[in-house]
């Protein structure tokens, strides 16, 4: 029976990490190891994780170096034939790994990549709602990337089960990236695969209780990271197939990310527009949701972008409070 390494990078996740670790321990696939890397948390994340330390659970502490560095550190210690990535606030359904490993029995290639269904949740995963997209199917790597780029869809990090062979072919997480590091990494893994196999009944829960930062989308580091990720991902697709359809998908990909850079990073915007022209396409100017247009007119683009983050945070808080009320009224 193949060993699966469940790798959990953690930073300031004391509120959630015990539940996350339990979801890993409760996997019905018995041949597993769990490796947690605390990335210099300022809260009690490390102390909570240490309570689970055993022959099955290894806890490692490092100075704060970023999520990609924490993932690479976990991978250094992983002994598994397959790798299950799991963020410190997300959850695996008990059968998640077993169902994907069952599909593996029908495949002869170690370069088959396995994905699963996933659903966002706030407090109780049983209240999660599933929103299938076009990536929830068996796909060839080039078709997977075209759909992701063209339609702006994605898969949660924990959805994947990656063989040791594919992990080695893809290489380590890119520690230059702080934003869209997971998007870049799994685009690279997909590009290295022979086929992407979707396991419908295998499930992951993606926690949406985190509040976004007003500065994250406009910081120089974040914008540089997003731009580098875009360029790398486009390169992965074009190396698989450099055709009219893949170039058009790349242009759509750039269009969908334009608001990350506008209006603060005119230097990167010029490069993005030039890249789109080299791909044979033209980008439309950045647009805001109509409800933010009065704010833009009065206070400018930056204020309108910040208001969109504030509104998103308010929606998250409202959902969390609603579920807390439901729990209180049901006595749970």
């Amino acid at each position: 029976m193949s060993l699966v390494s469940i790798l959990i990078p953690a930073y300031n996740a004391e509120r959630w990490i015990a539940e996350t670790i339990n979801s890993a321990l409760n996997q019905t696939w018995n041949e597993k190891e769990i490796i947690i890397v605390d990335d210099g948390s300022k809260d009690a994340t490390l102390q909570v994780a240490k309570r689970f330390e055993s022959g099955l659970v290894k806890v490692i502490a490092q100075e704060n170096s970023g999520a990609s560095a924490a993932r690479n550190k976990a991978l250094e210690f992983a002994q598994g034939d397959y790798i299950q990535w799991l963020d410190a606030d997300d959850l695996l359904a008990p059968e998640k790994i077993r169902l994907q490993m069952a599909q593996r029995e029908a495949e002869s290639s170690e370069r088959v990549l396995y994905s699963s269904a996933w659903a966002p949740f706030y407090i109780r995963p049983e209240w999660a709602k599933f929103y299938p997209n076009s990536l929830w199917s068996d796909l060839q790597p080039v078709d997977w990337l075209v759909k992701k780029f063209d339609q702006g869809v994605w898969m949660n990090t924990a959805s994947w089960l990656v063989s040791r062979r594919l992990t080695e072919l893809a290489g380590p997480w890119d520690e230059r990236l702080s934003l869209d590091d997971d998007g870049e990494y799994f685009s690279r893994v997909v590009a290295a695969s022979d086929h992407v196999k979707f396991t419908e009944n295998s499930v992951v829960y993606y926690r949406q209780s985190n509040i976004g930062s007003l500065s994250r989308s406009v910081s120089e580091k974040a914008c540089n990271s997003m731009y580098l990720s875009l360029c790398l991902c486009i390169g992965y697709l074009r190396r698989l197939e450099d055709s009219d359809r893949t170039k058009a998908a790349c242009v759509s990909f750039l269009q969908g990310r334009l608001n990350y850079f506008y209006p603060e990073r005119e230097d990167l915007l010029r490069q993005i527009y030039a890249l789109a022209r080299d791909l044979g396409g033209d980008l439309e100017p950045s647009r805001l949701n109509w409800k933010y247009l009065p704010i833009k007119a009065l206070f400018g683009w930056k204020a309108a972008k910040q208001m969109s983050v504030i509104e998103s945070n308010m929606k998250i808080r409202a959902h969390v409070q609603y579920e807390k009320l439901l729990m209180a009224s049901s006595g749970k």
Side-chain angles (χ1 to χ4, degrees), residues 23-24 36 60 64 67 86 93 97 103 112 134-135 147 167 173 185 205 213 237 245 253 266 286 291 303 321 326:
S23 81
I36 304 155
I60 301 161
N64 181 249
L86 179 60
I97 292 174
Q103 278 204 322
V112 175
S134 60
L135 301 180
K147 287 178 183 292
T167 300
W173 288 71
Y185 178 76
Y205 299 102
S213 166
L237 175 56
R245 72 155 183 158
F253 193 39
E266 292 185 4
S286 293
K291 59 187 172 184
Q321 291 303 315
L326 287 178

Side-chain angles (χ1 to χ4, degrees), residues 239-295:
R239 281 193 287 275
L240 287 177
E241 178 184 309
D242 198 16
S243 64
D244 288 344
R245 72 155 183 158
T246 59
K247 290 177 183 178
C250 291
V251 172
S252 295
F253 193 39
L254 293 172
Q255 183 71 61
R257 294 293 196 272
L258 209 56
N259 275 4
Y260 279 97
F261 309 95
Y262 193 85
E264 295 87 3
R265 295 300 303 273
E266 292 185 4
D267 57 331
L268 294 182
L269 285 166
R270 286 193 293 271
Q271 294 180 60
I272 290 168
Y273 275 96
L275 178 55
R277 288 193 295 272
D278 288 342
L279 291 164
D282 290 307
L283 301 179
E284 298 179 2
S286 293
R287 293 179 180 178
L288 282 169
N289 188 298
W290 63 269
K291 59 187 172 184
Y292 301 122
L293 294 180
I295 298 172

Side-chain angles (χ1 to χ4, degrees), residues 165-186:
R165 175 63 175 153
L166 264 181
T167 300
E168 291 170 348
L169 287 170
W173 288 71
D174 193 328
E175 296 182 19
R176 296 172 295 174
L177 302 178
S178 59
L179 185 62
D180 201 39
D181 51 343
D182 54 339
E184 183 277 331
Y185 178 76
F186 285 108

